[in-house]
Amino acid sequence: MKQYFLYFIFFIFITSCKNDTEKQPIKKTLSIAEKIANAHGISKWNTVNQIDFTFNVDKDSTHFERHWSWQPKTNNVTLITGKDTINYNRSKIDSLSLRVDQGFINDKFWLLAPFQLVWDSGTTISEATKEKAPISDTVLNKITLTYSNKGGYTPGDAYDFYYDKNYTIKEWVFRKGNTEKPSMITTFENHKDFNGITIAKDHKKAEGNWNLSFSNIIIKTQS
């Protein structure tokens, strides 16, 4: 009788431990891409109703700009330039809005590159390595984002992202068509917080008087 009682107590203890173990939440291991996106505030993206920004390129004495207003929940987009104001919805791209949308995708990619790492499908992301960044010559972490040869406006392109220990992007290399030779190399700098979302406002080349920048950034979130 005593042995039966001890066995019963032991069985209850083992069962209780097992149940407690089963109740423990499983911790998901985040990928490098997810860690970079999180470091730049992607957890706040679901609260964004509208984002306005001006895309600027200054080269020597020339200046180019276009202003965008995007409502991500409805995918309504407005382009404002010195000549035109164009409204369209990204779910209904036609021959007239196609060219405008190509510009929007380009400018949005520069603005929200850390998020595109997890948003875009049909991509592969390499394992992280440590390498000297091409502009600062600082040893940083590096991953490569490569697009498939099908779909999108620029299929087959590759981007080398250089990021620090806090998963903040510092530089990148764009390689058109995944060629070995870089097509463009710029910094990611002047990081600013906009309602919890971190954006690099300036992108500069190592040589020449060239700067791609963002101004008039307004991120409207749910109240």
Side-chain angles (χ1 to χ4, degrees), residues 55 106-113 172 184 186 203 212 214:
F55 174 89
N106 175 80
D107 299 359
K108 176 176 71 73
F109 191 93
W110 278 92
L111 183 78
L112 301 172
W172 74 354
M184 180 181 289
T186 75
H203 304 269
L212 186 155
F214 293 96

Side-chain angles (χ1 to χ4, degrees), residues 1-3 91 99 113 131 146 193 211 213 219 223:
M1 186 66 178
K2 183 177 180 181
Q3 284 183 325
S91 66
R99 186 177 180 85
E131 296 186 23
T146 306
D193 182 278
N211 184 32
S213 64
I219 297 182
S223 57

Side-chain angles (χ1 to χ4, degrees), residues 2-149:
K2 183 177 180 181
Q3 284 183 325
Y4 176 80
F5 177 77
L6 290 175
Y7 175 78
F8 179 73
I9 295 297
F10 179 74
F11 177 77
I12 291 176
F13 175 75
I14 293 298
T15 303
S16 176
C17 289
K18 181 180 178 182
N19 288 339
D20 287 343
T21 301
E22 289 176 345
K23 291 178 182 177
Q24 295 298 318
I26 299 174
K27 293 183 178 180
K28 178 186 176 183
T29 302
L30 297 178
S31 67
I32 296 297
E34 289 171 324
K35 289 179 180 179
I36 291 174
N38 284 345
H40 292 82
I42 199 170
S43 63
K44 300 290 186 180
W45 186 254
N46 287 337
T47 69
V48 175
N49 288 329
Q50 183 172 315
I51 178 168
D52 299 340
F53 62 94
T54 301
F55 174 89
N56 309 276
V57 178
D58 291 283
K59 181 180 180 182
D60 298 325
S61 61
T62 64
H63 176 78
F64 168 83
E65 70 177 49
R66 51 192 172 199
H67 182 77
W68 299 98
S69 182
W70 175 37
Q71 298 172 341
K73 288 181 169 56
T74 61
N75 248 336
N76 289 323
V77 178
T78 299
L79 165 65
I80 302 172
T81 65
K83 298 179 180 180
D84 301 299
T85 297
I86 300 172
N87 299 288
Y88 72 101
N89 189 281
R90 296 208 65 245
S91 66
K92 301 173 183 178
I93 301 295
D94 56 25
S95 59
L96 295 176
S97 57
L98 178 62
R99 186 177 180 85
V100 176
D101 192 61
Q102 289 174 334
F104 172 70
I105 291 300
N106 175 80
D107 299 359
K108 176 176 71 73
F109 191 93
W110 278 92
L111 183 78
L112 301 172
F115 298 173
Q116 302 293 159
L117 282 167
V118 296
W119 280 348
D120 291 347
S121 58
T123 63
T124 58
I125 297 177
S126 69
E127 294 292 326
T129 58
K130 285 188 176 294
E131 296 186 23
K132 283 188 176 182
I135 294 180
S136 65
D137 206 31
T138 303
V139 175
L140 294 171
N141 302 294
K142 172 193 168 185
I143 57 171
T144 298
L145 170 71
T146 306
Y147 286 83
S148 69
N149 291 318

Side-chain angles (χ1 to χ4, degrees), residues 162-205:
Y162 293 83
Y163 60 97
D164 64 16
K165 64 181 181 180
N166 297 316
Y167 298 96
T168 301
I169 298 173
K170 295 296 186 179
E171 299 180 25
W172 74 354
V173 176
F174 165 57
R175 295 182 288 110
K176 185 174 178 59
N178 198 16
T179 58
E180 186 174 343
K181 183 179 178 180
S183 304
M184 180 181 289
I185 305 173
T186 75
T187 62
F188 275 62
E189 55 187 279
N190 194 14
H191 293 81
K192 299 294 182 183
D193 182 278
F194 297 89
N195 278 337
I197 294 175
T198 300
I199 291 174
K201 294 183 65 179
D202 290 288
H203 304 269
K204 299 179 180 180
K205 294 182 179 180

